[in-house]
Each structure stands twice: as C-alpha cells, then as structure tokens.
Amino acid sequence: GVLFQAEATEELDGFDLDPADRGGADDPAYWNRMYEYQGKHGRDRYEWYGVDFETLRLTLKKLLPKLNEKVLLVGSGDSEVGIRMAELGWNVTNIDFSPHVTKHMAAAYPQHRFLTMDARNMTFPSESFHAVLDKGLTDCLGTDSERRRSFR
C-alpha cells in the first residue's frame, strides 16, 4: 500500500514514495526522507494502521506487565502510543532506526525516552525489559520473501 499519498502535481523534493527505491522500508534513510517530507507537508504525528492508543488501551493493560515495569516499543516512529503508555505509568523506552524521527520526538517530548537504534541489532543487555511491543515494525523489515519466511 501507499504510505503517503501526495498530489500528482506536487513537487516531491527528490523523494520517491516507492519503498523499492533507495533501500526500501528496512533502510533508515528511507524513513528519514519519509518523516522529513511529511513534516514539511504538515504531518507531525501518525498512527499506523489507524490504530491509536485508545484503541489498544484495554488489550495493552491485559497483555503487558504491571504499571511501572519496563516496556520496549520497537519501531516507535512518530506514534504517540509509547508516550500515552508512559503517561499511564509504564516505564517505556521508544526505539526507532530513523535518527530524524527520534530527534523530532525527543524534542517534542523531552520527558520521554527515545533512542536511535535498529531493533534487529539492539545493544540492551539481556532481560532489560519486561515486555517488547511492536505496533508496526515487522512489516517493514526485509524483502517480501524474507517477511513471508519470518511469519510462517
């Protein structure tokens, strides 16, 4: 699907919306360009799949550890899910491999923890978190055939 639809007549500033170009969706450079482009065109936050925190709230309360326990949100992007979780009391660390988006989110929410890190190569010690949440990362990793193998 199309991640962001621009008017056909609009100048894309050298940004190609096709994830097959320039590394694809499993490349931080692709997402840096995506977030930069969307920011220039008025988008500040976005909830992938149209699923926001309120939609997930009851499910998260059932499945995640008790409040105050450590939760890692991988591929956090510019979603407010991790922010809202922390406001309710979970100890949330948000990671994304796009330095553009982690810098933007850390500036907008300095009281929250945003780190630039690739979920495929994390540097946290084992058992650093009680739970890991992925709201929209795994569908961006690897090629189509690699994803099909991973999700069998």
Side-chain angles (χ1 to χ4, degrees), residues 79-100:
S79 168
E80 291 186 344
V81 168
I83 294 156
R84 296 289 311 281
M85 289 173 62
E87 288 170 352
L88 280 182
W90 282 289
N91 182 351
V92 179
T93 297
N94 300 276
I95 68 167
D96 198 286
F97 68 0
S98 166
H100 181 89

Side-chain angles (χ1 to χ4, degrees), residues 1 4 13 54 58 67 88 91 125 127 129:
F4 183 76
D13 301 326
E54 287 306 317
L58 293 176
L67 296 180
L88 280 182
N91 182 351
E127 301 182 28
F129 299 92

Side-chain angles (χ1 to χ4, degrees), residues 11-77:
E11 174 59 43
L12 295 180
D13 301 326
F15 180 77
D16 191 333
L17 297 176
D18 182 355
D21 290 343
R22 300 185 194 151
D26 69 344
D27 182 345
Y30 171 83
W31 289 103
N32 286 337
R33 286 188 306 277
M34 175 70 80
Y35 291 121
E36 182 178 353
Y37 176 79
Q38 292 176 352
K40 285 181 184 177
H41 292 84
R43 192 191 97 183
D44 193 42
R45 308 280 179 279
Y46 185 74
E47 296 301 339
W48 295 102
Y49 315 119
V51 179
D52 62 6
F53 177 78
E54 287 306 317
T55 305
L56 297 171
R57 185 180 189 148
L58 293 176
T59 301
L60 293 175
K61 281 188 162 196
K62 284 183 200 174
L63 297 177
L64 290 179
K66 296 178 232 169
L67 296 180
N68 297 316
E69 292 192 334
K70 294 180 180 180
V71 177
L72 176 64
L73 181 55
V74 294
S76 58

